Amino acid sequence: MLTSNILNADLHCHSVVSDGTLTPEVLAERAQTNGVELWALTDHDEIGGQHRAAAAARAQGLKYLTGTEISVTFANETVHIVGLGFDPDNAGLLQGLRNTRGGREQRAMEMSDSLAKAGITGAFEGALKFVGNPELISRTHFARFLVESGVCRETSEVFRKYLTEGKPGYVPHRWATLQNAVTWITQAHGIAVIAHPGRYNFTPNEEYALFTEFRAHGGRGVEVVTGSHTRQEYVKYAETAREFGLAASRGSDFHSPDESHTDLGALPFLTGELTPVWELLADRIQ
């Protein structure tokens, strides 16, 4: 049974099934090569790659947990909730994710129209080349198109100049509610985890409300060590985990060798005072 805090677990990454650039099979190989001992693929609002990822993990001799990352709207911000260890064939979860994806295509067309007004044409079709499925189109795919077409040199520049609030190409989207996401995950026998809390632009009161409501709906974990957190945020969210009685998770949020600054398996370990989320999921590790 995998229970140690000193475990190279990477429970947050993305494949071509959502907005990553590698297949589940290549990710499994990369995770194994990088020394990951427990892995989860957590594509955005989609679990279509789960059976492939589990099979690839088995082929690599790698322990695996099912995963997804659900977009929710909370206090007018987009928040991500990671689900781990659920049944990937659960009808309620599948339908909920299908509903969440439903608004992406319309939003993408509005983003394309906004970019056209700024002189960048063909963005919807260009972004679609990077995803294939309009249900899963996201800002990341638009960013890759803007780099490919020479508008920007790298995706980070795209997000500084476009696609964020107040910039050309930004279109808000109403996602699932926090209660929706936590309920879908827990009814599918999984555990809900707040992803990268340090990334949200919340006041202290709003953040407290997020954790309070999350816990009330049955959420049980928070990412403490993750690719976008600073060392100070590791400490801050370790304390938050203890304050709210939440298990701690660890994940790189890896998307691409060319775009992600944290590779699979490259994070510091969780500290000893925390309960790792995989202790709660020991019977669901494949």
Side-chain angles (χ1 to χ4, degrees), residues 169-237:
Y170 176 74
V171 177
H173 185 87
R174 294 292 301 179
W175 302 109
T177 67
L178 184 61
Q179 183 173 9
N180 289 152
V182 175
T183 300
W184 297 336
I185 293 163
T186 55
Q187 287 186 348
H189 311 295
I191 284 180
V193 175
I194 296 177
H196 42 60
R199 277 179 45 181
Y200 309 127
N201 188 31
F202 286 142
T203 65
N205 282 346
E206 287 169 337
E207 183 175 81
Y208 187 86
L210 170 67
F211 278 90
T212 301
E213 188 172 322
F214 174 75
R215 196 75 177 86
H217 292 316
R220 299 182 66 192
V222 58
E223 280 184 352
V224 172
V225 176
T226 184
S228 56
H229 278 184
T230 63
R231 293 193 176 274
Q232 291 88 344
E233 286 169 334
Y234 299 159
V235 174
K236 175 182 176 179
Y237 290 106

Side-chain angles (χ1 to χ4, degrees), residues 3-257:
T3 59
S4 171
N5 293 57
I6 311 302
L7 180 75
N8 195 343
D10 199 316
L11 305 181
H12 189 162
C13 72
H14 302 273
S15 77
V16 292
V17 175
S18 65
D19 61 345
T21 62
L22 304 181
T23 65
E25 292 78 10
V26 172
L27 282 170
E29 183 178 1
R30 190 181 188 94
Q32 196 277 334
T33 299
N34 289 2
V36 173
E37 298 165 274
L38 176 64
W39 175 55
L41 173 65
T42 57
D43 280 313
H44 287 284
D45 305 313
E46 175 61 86
I47 53 178
Q50 288 305 305
H51 291 297
R52 286 173 63 187
R58 279 194 300 274
Q60 295 290 335
L62 184 60
K63 298 291 186 185
Y64 187 74
L65 279 168
T66 53
T68 190
E69 185 176 16
I70 303 177
S71 307
V72 309
T73 300
F74 185 87
N76 296 315
E77 286 269 335
T78 298
V79 171
H80 291 150
I81 302 298
V82 164
L84 296 170
F86 52 78
D87 171 8
D89 300 311
N90 179 270
L93 177 59
L94 287 164
Q95 185 59 52
L97 294 177
R98 196 172 296 120
N99 294 344
T100 297
R101 293 194 303 271
R104 283 184 183 265
E105 185 175 9
Q106 179 59 40
R107 179 191 186 217
M109 289 190 283
E110 291 176 22
M111 289 166 66
S112 182
D113 290 344
S114 176
L115 288 168
K117 290 172 185 170
I120 301 166
T121 59
F124 179 77
E125 294 76 14
L128 205 55
K129 288 191 303 184
F130 290 93
V131 61
N133 181 355
E135 274 197 349
L136 294 172
I137 196 165
S138 72
R139 292 186 306 164
T140 302
H141 301 115
F142 279 88
R144 289 176 186 149
F145 165 70
L146 293 180
V147 171
E148 181 198 54
S149 56
V151 175
C152 295
R153 283 173 296 182
E154 56 189 12
T155 55
S156 59
E157 183 186 350
V158 175
F159 285 105
R160 284 198 305 274
K161 296 181 176 179
Y162 303 94
L163 311 182
T164 51
E165 191 165 3
K167 306 289 186 181
Y170 176 74
V171 177
H173 185 87
R174 294 292 301 179
W175 302 109
T177 67
L178 184 61
Q179 183 173 9
N180 289 152
V182 175
T183 300
W184 297 336
I185 293 163
T186 55
Q187 287 186 348
H189 311 295
I191 284 180
V193 175
I194 296 177
H196 42 60
R199 277 179 45 181
Y200 309 127
N201 188 31
F202 286 142
T203 65
N205 282 346
E206 287 169 337
E207 183 175 81
Y208 187 86
L210 170 67
F211 278 90
T212 301
E213 188 172 322
F214 174 75
R215 196 75 177 86
H217 292 316
R220 299 182 66 192
V222 58
E223 280 184 352
V224 172
V225 176
T226 184
S228 56
H229 278 184
T230 63
R231 293 193 176 274
Q232 291 88 344
E233 286 169 334
Y234 299 159
V235 174
K236 175 182 176 179
Y237 290 106
E239 180 55 41
T240 302
R242 288 189 287 270
E243 178 184 356
F244 285 90
L246 297 171
S249 193
R250 175 184 190 266
S252 59
D253 199 5
F254 180 82
H255 284 71
S256 165

